[in-house]
Amino acid sequence: MTRTEYTETNPNLPGITVLEFLRAVIDPELGIDIVNLGMVYRIQVNRGDVRVEMTLTTPGCPLHGSIRADVEQVLMSVPGIDTVNVELVWDPPWTPDLMSDEAKYSLGFP
Amino acid sequence: MPRLGAGGAPPVLPIALLWLGAAALVAGTVALSFSPRLLIGHSGSAGMVALVHTFTLGFVSLVFAGTLQQLPAVMFVTRLAWPRLGYVSTPLLLIGTVLIVCGFAAGFAGRLLALGGLTLSVAWLLLLTQHLATALRRWPKDAGGQALVMSVVFLTLTVVAGLILAGARTTPQVAATVGYPVGLHMTLGFFGAFLLGIIGSGQKLLQMFALSKGGAQWRVRSSAWLVAAGITAEALRAFAVLDSGLMPPILIGAAALLQLHEVHAIHKRRLRRKLEAPIQRYVLAHLFLPVAALLWLAGLPVAAAAAFLVGFTGMAVSGMLVKIMSFLVWTATFAGSATGGVAGGAPLLRDLVRDELEPVTTWGLAAGTLALCAALATQLVPLAYLAANLLLIGAISQLLQVTNIVLSTIRAKRRIEVSSARESTA
């Protein structure tokens, strides 16, 4: 599983907390949250401004609109967050190896 | 770093084409169930050819055309060129298909066939132009994307070859100039359009849905060139330039073998152990490739064609039809809007599919194809009845599924709207 990188300047809002909130965002195709899928690469917290660098299972994924909107909606509901900027990146490309053991298990991987 | 740029046609276009494709399969199997004796006797009879074109033009090509309104945007990671062009090409596709099927059903009515061929040629030339313009925006570097482009070229050539055949029937000068290249028309359609279309789109889609990384670019690239070489050899024979002997089937057989290897490799290295039912159907479809080869080697070309067309192409298209339909209606309804993390809002894609219908579709089509091949090989009437009814069951189940996907999504959307309205009132 990939490790999400954090850059944070707000002691009241550590990146790991932001990541925990992102567990509420589910990939509608796989039925697994984007954190366990290993899609969240980097979280930057600058006071109330949060920037999320994430990927999707494939470039051109038709679900990008709703996943991005979900990330923005979930984080904007967190007290202390004023703005959310979601950046979709493709380098490194997502591979199934980035998934957590829990996600792999739920897909039937032994 | 490429930015995401998915953008297809207005969703109503691909959704309508996919639904109509599923409906056409039901129409064809209903017709067959009323006259299963069409399977017994001359394979080139008017009724039989009308049925074949209901399947190829009505089911497979409509689904293919619908997929082309969305898939290139995903595969090439760019926006579809002229997304509203489908408002012109779609009615032409439907009118042309009806004219062709009626032309054959009426006993090879030359004028209907020529008019239908012309209408379909215009429709597919528009679709090809749109597809090439989309590809040129961001030329696909992967072998799958390139194979998809080639398959659209071959499908357009198939339709044009059909128009030439219609012209040869009505105008002696056309027949004297180009002959009557039925073999080329079939080779272009079966292998250039359908086999290559499945090879091209299948690698990306199967890897995506199976969460696998077992695909190899060289296999898809080699398959594409082998199919192209096989079609070239068939064209040389059709126009009496060169007697290519067994070269076309050998080259195309090698391409099919590589596709089997490709699907096996992706399947073997998948992370998603239990594939969803439509994807299982797509994988299972590939078992009909060796069945078709064995029937052909046994000197049963009509049964081999049925195994390839209904078993391989039909089941592969059917599997992807259900997956693509659920993606299309879901994104058309929910994309771009927050869904409350899905858990509290929109359904998962798999919740749109009625699980109990999937095995009925898969085994109806699979067992129906086996019975169809047996009926064509043995000319036994009871087998023809069995084939017709099994295929009808599979086709109805598939139509119910795609209809259910659309209705489930509409219901889910309404539920969310009612829930939001209550929350805002409270």
Side-chain angles (χ1 to χ4, degrees), chain B residues 173-185:
Chain B
Q173 292 92 325
V174 175
T177 309
V178 296
Y180 197 67
V182 179
L184 179 60
H185 174 61

Side-chain angles (χ1 to χ4, degrees), chain A residues 1 22-23 25 32-40 94 96 98-104:
Chain A
M1 183 189 175
L22 289 179
R23 288 186 192 276
V25 179
I32 297 171
D33 69 83
I34 60 171
V35 176
N36 271 305
L37 285 171
M39 289 178 176
V40 183
W94 183 87
L98 296 175
M99 291 194 297
S100 68
D101 290 342
E102 185 186 338
K104 288 176 184 170

Side-chain angles (χ1 to χ4, degrees), chain B residues 165-255:
Chain B
L165 288 175
R169 279 190 175 276
T170 51
T171 315
Q173 292 92 325
V174 175
T177 309
V178 296
Y180 197 67
V182 179
L184 179 60
H185 174 61
M186 289 172 65
T187 305
L188 277 166
F190 280 33
F191 308 115
F194 300 156
L195 175 61
L196 200 50
I198 291 168
I199 289 172
S201 55
Q203 187 188 50
K204 171 115 179 172
L205 292 175
L206 186 58
Q207 283 188 135
M208 194 165 77
F209 293 135
L211 294 178
S212 174
K213 49 182 180 178
Q217 293 285 310
W218 73 266
R219 277 197 289 267
V220 173
R221 206 176 303 281
S222 306
S223 294
W225 287 114
L226 283 165
V227 169
I231 288 169
T232 307
E234 180 61 38
L236 293 173
R237 175 164 57 194
F239 297 118
V241 177
L242 182 76
D243 182 10
S244 48
L246 284 173
M247 282 308 285
I250 289 171
L251 290 165
I252 289 164

Side-chain angles (χ1 to χ4, degrees), chain A residues 24 26 28-31 58-66 69-70 73 87-90 94 96-97 99 107-109, chain B residues 1-4 6 74 204 208-209 211 213 271-273 323 327 330-331 336-342 348-350:
Chain A
I26 312 290
E29 153 68 0
L30 297 169
T58 184
C61 175
L63 302 173
H64 73 100
S66 65
D70 276 345
Q73 188 192 53
E87 182 82 16
L88 291 172
V89 298
W90 311 108
W94 183 87
D97 296 331
M99 291 194 297
L107 291 170
F109 199 72
Chain B
M1 193 177 298
R3 297 275 301 176
L4 190 75
V74 176
K204 171 115 179 172
M208 194 165 77
F209 293 135
L211 294 178
K213 49 182 180 178
L271 202 58
R272 205 172 189 170
R273 302 316 289 172
K323 279 303 292 183
F327 259 96
W330 197 99
T331 50
S337 60
T339 58
V342 171
L348 297 176
L349 269 82
R350 61 172 176 246

Side-chain angles (χ1 to χ4, degrees), chain B residues 80-171:
Chain B
L80 185 73
W82 313 306
R84 290 175 183 275
L85 191 65
Y87 286 118
V88 179
S89 58
T90 301
L92 291 175
L93 282 174
L94 300 178
I95 293 166
T97 301
V98 171
L99 286 172
I100 292 280
V101 172
C102 290
F104 284 123
F108 296 95
R111 288 190 179 195
L112 281 179
L113 293 177
L115 193 58
L118 186 63
T119 311
L120 276 182
S121 296
V122 172
W124 274 103
L125 283 167
L126 286 175
L127 282 166
L128 174 64
T129 308
Q130 182 184 35
H131 190 66
L132 289 175
T134 305
L136 284 171
R137 286 183 169 181
R138 192 186 178 95
W139 188 254
K141 290 180 183 147
D142 66 301
Q146 290 165 4
L148 185 67
V149 173
M150 284 171 75
S151 72
V152 181
V153 172
F154 285 132
L155 183 45
T156 308
L157 288 175
T158 308
V159 174
V160 172
L163 175 62
I164 292 171
L165 288 175
R169 279 190 175 276
T170 51
T171 315

